Amino acid sequence: MCGIIGIVGNSPVADRLVDGLRRMEYRGYDSSGLCTIDGGRLIRRRAEGKLANLVEVMADDPAPGNIGIAHTRWATHGAPTATNAHPHATGEVAIVHNGIIENYKELRAELVAAGRSFESETDSEVVAHMVSHRVEAGMSPQEAVADMLPRLRGAFALAIAFRQHPGLLIGARLGSPLVVGYGPEGDEAEMYLGSDALALASLTQRISYLEEGDWVVITRDSARVYDSENNAVTREIQASGASAAAVEKGNYRHFMQKEIYEQPTVVAQTLGSYLRRSDNSVALPQLDFDISAIRRLTIVACGTSYYAGMVAKYWFEQFARVPVDIDVASEFRYRNPVLEDGGLALFISQSGETADTLAALRHCKENGQVIGVVVNVPTSTMAREADLLLPTHAGPEIGVASTKAFTCQLAVLAALAAHMAVKKGLMSREEEAEVVKHLLEAPAALNAALDHDDDIAAMAHLIAPARDVLYLGRGQDYPLALEGALKLKEISYIHAEGYASGEMKHGPIALIDDKVPVVVIAPSGPLFEKTVSNMEEVRARGGQVVLISDAEGLAHAGEGCIATIEMPVVHPLIAPLVYAVPVQLLAYHVAVVKGTDVDQPRNLAKSVTVE
């Protein structure tokens, strides 16, 4: 959740630390802070709320120094106050922390008994006191950290600064990502720590990823990495590929709006990695296992990625005739799932660092499953632990509510389902070419869907006053109903629920009155008439219907709706990608009408790295 950056520099670091936090504010914006070292002093500045508040504090009270650490917080333990903001510090040590220290109460009790005083409600502060206690007893920074780390249970990424060692930072990770950045060499030498490559994009393109249990000692011109057994190890230095311009909105009002409009381009880029136009075939990376031998597929994900998996279940069972189980990652391990030999476990995540999904991945790996991952960050922890890596090529997604990552995930999953069907002998060469043809039509269809943005904006005021909104869909459109409801909840704070259309009369219809808008997702096709029947049940009870369909569907059933949204006529295979656009735009424009914070909705963060 939280974002970390550290710099061991050759010039003042405060402004660059703030810039790094700005690139990571999607990770948490409950509070922020930084600590520099100058003249033998730990200089700490913190502020409640968004990063702009810290900038105001810094304007009145700068923080000099060529070394420092900084943090943007998503609150877990303790309210989002300035006192609970990171960095946490003692007289000797300052720390920033991403994750959860599960045994912090036990550790805190030990430290209080030893005479140490705490100022915050956080679990993180125990780390500062544990390290400080050891340093004050005469240990070196390296000795103190090596002695402290085995006491921690949970998930963490840490950056630690030491008052008496103004040329040194120590980082550590277990369960939460942390990268080392390599800056200039020679007289201008610098080194960096960050939660991800994007945080360091304006500083360096040369990074290395710490592995589970690693800790690192960085100075201006070196990084010494140790594993969980305190053995010196080498971690590969690689080019990050993160763009320093990736966090610019351009001419768009919000990142979410920009990312919705990027979908035709990024879906085309993603499909370009999996489809061969020369012979209209699906081309996956070289596999180290026989995909035709896969007898069962387990899909695990969270939030929007879970809904992408729900859509994919239809494709895998229809094309490849492989039974599919799909689970919410936070529940998966705890039901003790049955995992058959020869199964493929497929994990879907924008960041590739989602804690629940990563824990489920490791559980499946321990139980002999082939591991596939669909991720937007090909250097992420999930990507590095997979047998089959399927990148989405969506580019950095800054808006907390996922948009372009979702449609790119769908594109990858459709290609994988077709490839599996071909390898199993269940899809002919001609059928494969037909699937590829329709997938290649998706970018143009997405563009056509975006052409109706103004129409959607014009009717958003009809939804904005509602306290409750229902979404209905059948078949592949049911997951889109769930996704549409999630988007509206996330950014407009309107209570919304998605239902399979046929389930409406089994309970939810009791909620219908003339103050409850019902958004119906119904492209024309085999299921259209049944969905329209359910829609009429809603209208008969005074429900206010918004129908999303193509021209044929609107001509047949649009009369009497409070609003309609026309989509292009598309093949059912790509309908989920195309119909994602209007539910995204509807949520976006309703949020704009209500005046909520579209890109940084309350209580949410982009990368969920705690369970």
Side-chain angles (χ1 to χ4, degrees):
M1 288 288 195
C2 309
I4 290 172
I5 184 170
I7 302 176
V8 186
N10 59 58
S11 62
V13 297
D15 288 345
R16 291 184 291 162
L17 290 172
V18 169
D19 181 64
L21 292 183
R22 191 170 287 114
R23 296 174 182 281
M24 290 187 295
E25 200 174 6
Y26 64 92
R27 284 178 165 267
Y29 32 88
D30 290 336
S31 61
S32 58
L34 60 80
C35 182
T36 59
I37 304 175
D38 186 64
R41 297 176 300 147
L42 294 173
I43 302 171
R44 188 165 51 141
R45 304 288 181 259
R46 299 181 294 173
E48 179 182 337
K50 294 194 176 181
L51 185 59
N53 297 340
L54 177 64
V55 173
E56 289 183 10
V57 169
M58 298 284 293
D60 294 333
D61 198 3
N66 293 359
I67 181 171
I69 55 177
H71 186 269
T72 183
R73 181 176 185 237
W74 185 82
T76 53
H77 295 75
T81 64
T83 302
N84 289 329
H86 298 221
H88 293 291
T90 68
E92 296 295 329
V93 169
I95 70 103
V96 291
H97 167 226
N98 176 19
I100 290 178
I101 307 301
E102 293 175 355
N103 60 332
Y104 84 98
K105 289 184 178 179
E106 166 194 329
L107 297 171
R108 184 173 178 138
E110 290 179 11
L111 290 159
V112 169
R116 304 199 71 89
S117 298
F118 286 74
E119 66 172 25
S120 80
E121 305 168 274
T122 70
D123 57 329
S124 307
E125 192 181 356
V126 300
V127 177
H129 284 281
M130 290 174 74
V131 176
S132 190
H133 192 64
R134 289 159 171 78
V135 169
E136 291 164 18
M139 288 187 182
S140 69
Q142 294 91 326
E143 291 169 337
V145 172
D147 190 61
M148 177 274 300
L149 287 175
R151 295 294 316 280
L152 302 181
R153 292 202 311 270
F156 55 81
L158 296 165
I160 310 170
F162 301 83
R163 182 183 66 83
Q164 298 185 58
H165 300 269
L168 175 81
L169 293 180
I170 294 182
R173 71 151 292 184
L174 184 70
S176 291
L178 194 66
V179 301
V180 178
Y182 293 78
E185 298 177 348
D187 292 342
E188 301 297 314
E190 291 191 335
M191 294 288 292
Y192 317 105
L193 283 172
S195 289
D196 57 31
L198 187 59
L200 306 181
S202 64
L203 301 171
T204 185
Q205 288 286 301
R206 298 173 62 236
I207 63 172
S208 61
Y209 290 86
L210 297 184
E211 298 185 4
E212 282 291 89
D214 282 356
W215 59 283
V216 60
V217 180
I218 70 168
T219 62
R220 273 187 57 196
D221 57 6
S222 70
R224 300 189 303 279
V225 182
Y226 302 89
D227 64 16
S228 58
E229 302 297 322
N230 298 327
N231 299 309
V233 291
T234 300
R235 301 300 181 214
E236 178 189 0
I237 300 173
Q238 53 192 277
S240 75
S243 169
V247 294
E248 299 299 326
K249 289 196 291 278
N251 294 325
Y252 294 96
R253 184 172 176 181
H254 299 97
F255 282 111
M256 183 179 178
Q257 183 187 32
K258 173 177 178 274
E259 288 155 7
I260 290 171
Y261 269 81
E262 286 175 343
Q263 288 177 114
T265 299
V266 295
V267 167
Q269 291 171 346
T270 298
L271 289 170
S273 298
Y274 296 96
L275 306 180
R276 278 201 300 253
R277 292 174 180 267
S278 58
D279 59 358
N280 283 340
S281 65
V282 180
L284 260 64
Q286 183 66 40
L287 305 181
D288 294 329
F289 62 94
D290 182 4
I291 198 169
S292 69
I294 297 297
R295 299 194 299 270
R296 191 169 200 90
L297 178 61
T298 301
I299 299 177
V300 182
C302 300
T304 289
S305 296
Y306 175 74
Y307 299 143
M310 287 183 69
V311 175
K313 175 181 169 73
Y314 289 91
W315 292 331
F316 283 107
E317 293 189 342
Q318 175 187 347
F319 294 152
R321 306 304 299 162
V322 174
V324 177
D325 298 314
I326 179 163
D327 274 270
V328 174
S330 58
E331 294 290 326
F332 176 71
R333 290 179 298 149
Y334 305 111
R335 68 174 180 84
N336 194 21
V338 177
L339 297 169
E340 301 175 9
D341 290 341
L344 172 62
L346 188 62
F347 300 87
I348 310 170
S349 169
Q350 191 281 138
S351 67
E353 304 290 353
T354 310
D356 296 318
T357 311
L358 183 56
L361 182 155
R362 289 168 176 163
H363 177 81
C364 286
K365 200 163 196 173
E366 290 167 2
N367 284 273
Q369 300 294 285
V370 176
I371 304 299
V373 299
V374 178
V375 292
N376 194 33
V377 184
T379 52
S380 62
T381 303
M382 287 185 208
R384 298 197 301 275
E385 296 189 13
D387 302 305
L388 171 62
L389 170 58
L390 299 168
T392 55
H393 305 295
E397 189 177 62
I398 305 302
V400 167
S402 183
T403 53
K404 63 178 181 173
F406 176 68
T407 46
C408 286
Q409 287 167 354
L410 291 176
V412 172
L413 292 163
L416 178 61
H419 181 76
M420 183 179 285
V422 169
K423 293 301 182 182
K424 284 180 170 289
L426 298 173
M427 181 179 285
S428 69
R429 179 70 192 84
E430 292 74 19
E431 290 169 328
E432 179 187 17
E434 187 72 9
V435 165
V436 171
K437 171 180 173 290
H438 292 306
L439 288 175
L440 291 173
E441 293 167 352
L446 287 164
N447 262 324
L450 287 166
D451 286 342
H452 296 274
D453 187 14
D454 290 344
D455 299 332
I456 297 171
M459 52 82 63
H461 70 280
L462 299 173
I463 308 297
R467 287 186 56 190
D468 306 280
V469 177
L470 302 181
Y471 286 71
L472 302 181
R474 277 183 179 266
Q476 296 176 153
D477 304 318
Y478 167 45
L480 282 180
L482 295 168
E483 170 64 4
L486 176 63
K487 283 291 159 286
L488 194 68
K489 279 184 279 200
E490 285 179 314
I491 63 173
S492 75
Y493 315 143
I494 295 173
H495 172 250
E497 299 295 338
Y499 291 99
S501 299
E503 283 296 293
M504 194 66 186
K505 54 185 170 290
H506 295 289
I509 202 166
L511 299 172
I512 297 299
D513 62 26
D514 60 4
K515 295 180 178 60
V516 178
V518 180
V519 180
V520 180
I521 303 165
S524 60
L527 300 179
F528 180 75
E529 292 293 343
K530 288 188 177 295
T531 304
V532 170
S533 296
N534 302 132
M535 187 177 82
E536 293 300 339
E537 293 167 356
V538 169
R539 284 209 296 221
R541 288 155 179 84
Q544 305 295 298
V545 174
V546 175
L547 177 59
I548 306 176
S549 187
D550 50 38
E552 181 182 342
L554 296 183
H556 181 78
E559 187 176 352
C561 296
I562 62 167
T564 59
I565 301 173
E566 183 178 339
M567 288 292 99
V569 176
V570 295
H571 189 272
L573 174 65
I574 64 169
L577 285 81
V578 177
Y579 279 69
V581 169
V583 299
Q584 293 166 356
L585 286 172
L586 182 59
Y588 172 76
H589 287 298
V590 169
V592 170
V593 169
K594 293 196 69 176
T596 62
D597 191 332
V598 172
D599 287 331
Q600 297 177 346
R602 67 189 183 202
N603 303 333
L604 297 177
K606 186 70 177 175
S607 182
V608 185
T609 56
V610 294
E611 284 196 81

